[in-house]
Amino acid sequence: MAPSHQKGPDLKRYMDKKMRLSLNGNRKIVGVLRGYDAFLNVVLEETIEETSGGSGVESQIGTVVIRGSSIVQFESLERIVQE
């Protein structure tokens, strides 16, 4: 039997931490997690897009909203304290 309501993702412990997100299309971005919702849409600040191909070129893109369906992987770049 399915639960009566679906709980959203629990990303509270990652708030205000620097994260690397792998997106579809082999794109990677790094930024500080400022918000999220039940659909895993996220808001990142101070965001940098890492270009693929090993060229090492990075583009500052500022504050972004990423649609949850585009996210393939989350990676924390800071230590996360277990509560």
Side-chain angles (χ1 to χ4, degrees), residues 38-56:
F39 300 103
L40 207 60
N41 300 320
V42 298
V43 176
L44 297 176
E45 286 185 345
E46 304 170 21
T47 309
I48 298 170
E49 180 179 18
E50 299 176 340
T51 57
S52 58
S55 61

